[in-house]
Amino acid sequence: MIMAALLAAMAWTGCKDTLETDDPSAREEKPVAVRDSVILTLEAGKGIDTKALELVNGGQTLNAFWTPGEEVHVFASGSGTCIGTLTATPNNTDKTKATLKGNISATGLAKDQTLTLLFPKSTWSYEGQNGKLTGEGSIASSYDFARAQVIIEDVETTKITTTKSTTFENQQSIYRFGFRYGATTIRTKTLLLTSDQNKLAKTVNAITGANTYFASDVPMTIELSTALTADQAAAHELIYVAIRNDNTTEKDTFSFTIYDADGATYKGSKEIPKVNLASPFVSAKTIPMDRLELSQYAAPATPVTPL
């Protein structure tokens, strides 16, 4: 009986020793299985030059606010591929702020990696503007480009945690122009715009930085859907243009050619001081213009057919 008890004790002790000296790899924590698609949620504010725009304080201040359903595209650092989109839900009390939420691809994402948020897409074009601040085809709907960045703090099973909040930075300035011939506002139909520094962006790739520029022989063209009416001219209605000027070190001069409602041609220019080049909202409401003697759009004379 004593021997049996000793053998039993030795057997129990052996089992205990085996458990304590087991292969440590068997007790290592397994990595968390991250889903292919994870949720990203963050708070974001808008600079003044982002999609929804409004003038306040008698038209002297330009404000921006989020509208429900606006989309932001997400890009991982080192990649030109969009990994998902976030949808905006504006704050109930302050519509300059919103919660952005959506599914993004988690492939290759890691802690401390930077995510770039682009609004509303990654390739931006400043062609085809119609001189309007809001409405169809306007700056607010089609030419209001912005960028923000956040840093990944944690990659979890079903979600990505990033910097708690961010603010989108405007990628262009909004100019408003008023053109006068004498004391009269010109009834503008078409506006051609060039820059002495030749750095007005035509298209911008926000990921690669591959920008193209308007040139003096192919100027930036703002085509109003209809010419300013006499009543609009009398009320000194202004023309709004989104301009990204990649010249930020030297003062610039904008040169204008205008065709009015009757086809008459006007020319003029405006110096833009260096301090205004990076301003988000620039107003030049009384630019003087010279009228040319001959209309640019004058119809050719009908040839006489000899008898």
Side-chain angles (χ1 to χ4, degrees):
M1 292 179 62
I2 293 173
M3 289 297 296
L6 288 173
L7 289 172
M10 290 174 62
W12 182 85
T13 303
C15 290
K16 183 177 181 182
D17 288 343
T18 300
L19 287 174
E20 288 181 345
T21 60
D22 199 6
D23 183 0
S25 64
R27 300 195 301 273
E28 287 183 355
E29 294 186 6
K30 301 300 182 183
V32 176
V34 180
R35 293 183 182 177
D36 291 340
S37 178
V38 295
I39 295 174
L40 172 59
T41 305
L42 65 138
E43 302 298 315
K46 279 197 171 186
I48 73 153
D49 145 302
T50 42
K51 188 171 182 182
L53 303 166
E54 64 179 356
L55 286 167
V56 296
N57 296 334
Q60 300 305 306
T61 304
L62 185 63
N63 279 351
F65 56 92
W66 290 96
T67 58
E70 288 182 332
E71 290 189 343
V72 170
H73 294 257
V74 183
F75 293 78
S77 57
S79 170
T81 302
C82 177
I83 62 173
T85 58
L86 310 179
T87 302
T89 301
N91 185 294
N92 288 330
T93 58
D94 183 0
K95 296 190 185 303
T96 65
K97 296 180 175 60
T99 299
L100 304 180
K101 184 176 182 178
N103 291 314
I104 64 172
S105 171
T107 303
L109 297 186
K111 178 179 170 58
D112 296 328
Q113 189 172 1
T114 299
L115 298 179
T116 298
L117 313 179
L118 299 178
F119 180 85
K121 51 189 176 182
S122 61
T123 300
W124 305 329
S125 172
Y126 294 94
E127 296 181 281
Q129 298 189 54
N130 65 5
K132 301 298 183 183
L133 181 64
T134 59
E136 186 177 355
S138 67
I139 293 174
S141 68
S142 304
Y143 301 95
D144 189 22
F145 309 120
R147 182 177 184 270
Q149 289 188 318
V150 293
I151 297 174
I152 296 176
E153 295 180 344
D154 196 8
V155 180
E156 303 177 43
T157 308
T158 60
K159 68 180 182 178
I160 295 286
T161 304
T162 68
T163 311
K164 302 305 180 186
S165 63
T166 188
T167 299
F168 280 81
E169 297 179 357
N170 54 293
Q171 299 299 303
Q172 61 279 310
S173 298
I174 296 177
Y175 284 76
R176 64 177 179 186
F177 298 120
F179 301 99
R180 302 279 183 90
Y181 177 58
T184 304
T185 297
I186 298 171
R187 295 177 57 196
T188 302
K189 175 63 173 68
T190 304
L191 167 62
L192 307 182
L193 171 60
T194 60
S195 157
D196 278 5
Q197 298 292 336
N198 293 316
K199 284 295 185 177
L200 302 188
K202 184 177 182 180
T203 61
V204 175
N205 187 311
I207 299 298
T208 66
N211 299 353
T212 65
Y213 299 97
F214 291 102
S216 57
D217 56 337
V218 187
M220 188 175 194
T221 301
I222 294 86
E223 186 75 39
L224 279 65
S225 54
T226 58
L228 295 181
T229 66
D231 288 343
Q232 289 172 326
H236 306 304
E237 185 157 325
L238 303 172
I239 296 169
Y240 292 83
V241 187
I243 298 176
R244 178 188 172 105
N245 192 345
D246 283 347
N247 162 50
T248 58
T249 59
E250 302 291 338
K251 68 179 182 180
D252 211 339
T253 298
F254 290 174
S255 296
F256 308 97
T257 299
I258 289 177
Y259 306 124
D260 74 4
D262 301 316
T265 304
Y266 301 81
K267 286 187 175 291
S269 62
K270 178 70 175 179
E271 183 178 292
I272 310 298
K274 177 183 174 181
V275 68
N276 295 120
L277 292 175
S279 298
F281 184 41
V282 182
S283 182
K285 299 189 288 186
T286 56
I287 300 173
M289 303 290 286
D290 295 323
R291 179 169 175 163
L292 304 188
E293 292 297 325
L294 296 177
S295 170
Q296 182 78 13
Y297 286 166
T302 303
V304 176
T305 303
L307 296 175

